[in-house]
Amino acid sequence: MAKFLHLEDMASPLAGVFGQRLKAKRQERKLTIARLSEATAVAVSHISLLERGKGNPTLSTMEALCAALDVSVSEMRAGDSEDLGGMTVRI
């Protein structure tokens, strides 16, 4: 039986942390995914995928989403090693 590779199954743990924070910041600002999509030109489906930790955002996507939420990319990544169970990630 053929196996299919699903890109959403390949998301890194760091992408999951970003997705959790993205959703929290969006909800804090009382924005829908649709409104965030309009503000950033990032597809609703892609934002949803990211928030569920199922996608790896590009740097330009991270920058657009963070700018729309008025947070820095570094703020969205702060404390990554704690959120990843102590694992250190170097970028």
Side-chain angles (χ1 to χ4, degrees), residues 6 12 15 19 26-27 30-31 37 41-44 47 49 61 65 72 77 80-82 84 86 88:
H6 296 279
S12 73
R26 178 182 60 76
Q27 290 176 335
K30 299 188 182 343
L31 288 172
S37 174
V42 176
V44 168
I47 295 171
L49 198 70
T61 298
L65 292 167
S72 68
R77 292 189 51 245
D80 287 338
S81 61
E82 295 169 17
L84 296 172
T88 302

Side-chain angles (χ1 to χ4, degrees), residues 15-68:
V17 171
F18 178 81
Q20 290 172 354
R21 292 182 180 164
L22 173 64
K23 184 175 184 175
K25 293 292 183 185
R26 178 182 60 76
Q27 290 176 335
E28 281 175 20
R29 285 155 178 76
K30 299 188 182 343
L31 288 172
T32 64
I33 292 176
R35 288 294 252 203
L36 184 57
S37 174
E38 290 171 8
T40 60
V42 176
V44 168
S45 59
H46 190 56
I47 295 171
S48 176
L49 198 70
L50 294 174
E51 286 188 355
R52 290 180 284 125
K54 300 290 186 182
N56 291 306
T58 63
L59 184 54
S60 61
T61 298
M62 288 174 67
E63 289 173 336
L65 292 167
C66 289

